[in-house]
Amino acid sequence: QVQLVESGGGSVQAGGSLRLSCQASGYTYSQYCMGWFRQAPGKEREGVAVIDSDGSALYADSVKGRFTISKDNAKNTLYLQMNSLKPEDTAMYYCAADVRCDAVVDRLTDPYRLLNYWGQGTQVTVSS
């Protein structure tokens, strides 16, 4: 059974940093592509950053230069380092995984692209 468990969220002031983690289990980690997504109240769940099948990192324009996605295959863990946080980054952050890497990449910009596995989310709140 595939499980994704996020952690590392919290409350910070604008300009601060947080590091999110997503612990994966129940599948062959290296065969899946993964990404981070977020959803603010009243808004659609949007893409933040994904890692493609060749290991390339792709980012939403709103977080480029501030966020860094990475993965540790030995620990089955996906990370999101978030620097220079802004109040508009406030949201529930989710990690997702799918063996269909094209779907993960598409989901970065297409909110209607379905992915197979999602975590329960971790809340990030940035105050001004």
Side-chain angles (χ1 to χ4, degrees):
Q1 181 179 354
V2 175
Q3 280 195 318
L4 302 173
V5 180
E6 301 95 335
S7 61
S11 297
V12 296
Q13 290 191 326
S17 298
L18 284 173
R19 188 194 194 203
L20 305 184
S21 299
C22 174
Q23 178 70 53
S25 62
Y27 65 94
T28 305
Y29 183 75
S30 60
Q31 295 180 355
Y32 280 64
C33 285
M34 299 183 72
W36 287 99
F37 304 84
R38 66 187 182 186
Q39 188 168 19
K43 295 188 176 181
E44 288 183 329
R45 190 173 298 186
E46 64 177 4
V48 176
V50 302
I51 292 185
D52 202 348
S53 56
D54 63 359
S56 301
L58 304 172
Y59 298 93
D61 289 343
S62 59
V63 306
K64 281 181 182 177
R66 300 188 298 122
F67 291 10
T68 302
I69 187 172
S70 62
K71 59 187 296 192
D72 186 332
N73 287 339
K75 296 182 178 180
N76 288 358
T77 303
L78 182 74
Y79 301 101
L80 185 68
Q81 178 66 44
M82 305 186 296
N83 299 327
S84 302
L85 283 162
K86 304 176 181 179
E88 50 263 44
D89 295 318
T90 295
M92 186 72 80
Y93 283 70
Y94 300 88
C95 71
D98 204 301
V99 68
R100 303 167 299 152
C101 290
D102 59 334
V104 175
V105 173
D106 288 348
R107 185 59 180 84
L108 185 63
T109 55
D110 180 359
Y112 300 106
R113 197 75 156 91
L114 298 178
L115 299 181
N116 279 327
Y117 304 108
W118 292 86
Q120 84 290 346
T122 185
Q123 178 68 38
V124 171
T125 302
V126 185
S127 58
S128 58

